Amino acid sequence: MTTILKSLASEDITQVTPTQGFNIKSVQSENFKLNVWDIGGARKIRPYWRNYFENTDVLIYVVDSADIKRLEETGQELSELLLEEKLRGVPLLVYANKQDLGNAVTAAEIAEGLGLHNIKDRDWQIQSCIAIEGKGVKEGLEWACKNIKRK
């Protein structure tokens, strides 16, 4: 997510390191000003994720398409997130990142592995992307903006 977020904010993405805690950026897209929380995925900080769910309008979940070994684990984490009361009905965008790598699986395969087709309680979209090139990133964000529920 860090590379995607920096790309959307038109920041340098040549020296990106994994998020250890969280980053907050404001991004302008369409007619929206989005305040985006980039929360690190390290196992030890996952219990703290729920501290950031209040007033969430869209959930953006990034999957490393080349790390097929972690697909089951990330699918379990996503399933738990979708059960959170504060995230009920919140639209879900899944970025299938790193599509440029030779061992990457397709967005359709990731959707299948995550069981996205079984999600019936919210709008969802999977978007292929190559964050370091910006490919697919804006398309995903456009979908997210169109699917934010007005409160």
Side-chain angles (χ1 to χ4, degrees):
M1 181 68 197
T2 306
T3 304
I4 291 171
L5 186 53
K6 283 182 172 272
S7 173
L8 290 170
S10 300
E11 294 180 6
D12 180 26
I13 58 171
T14 58
Q15 300 291 324
V16 175
T17 57
T19 303
Q20 299 302 314
F22 64 89
N23 296 315
I24 305 169
K25 298 247 185 257
S26 290
V27 177
Q28 192 73 34
S29 180
E30 308 270 316
N31 294 323
F32 289 94
K33 178 183 178 191
L34 303 173
N35 294 313
V36 182
W37 291 70
D38 170 17
I39 304 172
R43 191 173 302 213
K44 66 183 177 186
I45 68 168
R46 290 178 194 168
Y48 299 103
W49 284 358
R50 63 184 33 89
N51 295 328
Y52 303 96
F53 296 162
E54 196 73 39
N55 298 317
T56 298
D57 293 314
V58 66
L59 176 62
I60 300 174
Y61 200 77
V62 182
V63 176
D64 182 339
S65 301
D67 193 355
I68 194 67
K69 289 183 238 172
R70 290 188 56 210
L71 190 56
E72 183 177 339
E73 176 188 342
T74 198
Q76 289 172 345
E77 285 295 334
L78 179 58
S79 293
E80 289 178 27
L81 279 173
L82 297 179
L83 293 174
E84 291 284 341
E85 181 64 31
K86 291 179 181 174
L87 296 177
R88 177 176 286 172
V90 171
L92 169 67
L93 169 63
V94 177
Y95 277 116
N97 192 23
K98 301 185 182 179
Q99 289 291 305
D100 56 323
L101 301 181
N103 58 338
V105 296
T106 67
E109 290 169 308
I110 289 172
E112 181 71 26
L114 296 177
L116 296 182
H117 297 92
N118 297 322
I119 297 174
K120 307 291 185 210
D121 65 339
R122 69 191 70 229
D123 293 328
W124 64 267
Q125 173 76 16
I126 187 158
Q127 176 67 51
S128 296
C129 75
I130 305 171
I132 61 170
E133 297 176 13
K135 290 184 179 175
V137 174
K138 286 192 178 25
E139 293 85 349
L141 191 61
E142 287 170 4
W143 178 89
C145 288
K146 287 178 184 154
N147 286 276
I148 289 175
K149 306 293 186 223
R150 301 275 197 255
K151 292 179 181 172

